[in-house]
């Protein structure tokens, strides 16, 4: 896992929770990492298709729309 659990707790609390269990922090981190990997992989494909090695903001934005919507 790459994302810090303290950050997961802050995110969950911003969502309205008063207290957060360790298992909830772990689960959110796993979900967010999986989504991030999917978006990154799609963005890499878009960049490669455009003839670039560098992923740009536009690649992330397009990938985010495709994955999350």
């Amino acid at each position: 896992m790459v994302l810090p659990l303290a950050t997961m707790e802050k995110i969950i609390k911003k969502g309205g929770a008063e207290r957060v269990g360790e298992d909830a922090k772990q689960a959110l981190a796993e979900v967010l990492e999986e989504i991030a990997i999917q978006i990154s992989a799609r963005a890499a494909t878009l960049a490669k298709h455009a003839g670039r090695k560098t992923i740009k903001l536009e690649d992330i934005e397009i990938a985010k729309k495709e994955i999350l919507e």
Side-chain angles (χ1 to χ4, degrees), residues 7-39:
T7 302
M8 298 303 100
E9 182 173 5
K10 289 177 186 176
I11 291 170
I12 295 170
K13 284 189 173 184
K14 281 185 178 184
E18 289 185 33
R19 296 177 65 190
V20 182
E22 290 297 317
D23 58 341
K25 294 180 222 179
Q26 181 82 26
L28 181 60
E30 290 172 8
V31 168
L32 293 179
E33 285 184 30
E34 180 58 38
I35 292 168
I37 290 167
Q38 291 174 9
I39 291 172

Side-chain angles (χ1 to χ4, degrees), residues 52-64:
R52 292 183 275 108
K53 292 182 180 181
T54 302
I55 295 174
K56 295 186 174 187
L57 173 62
E58 63 199 44
D59 301 318
I60 295 293
E61 290 174 342
I62 293 168
K64 179 186 80 166

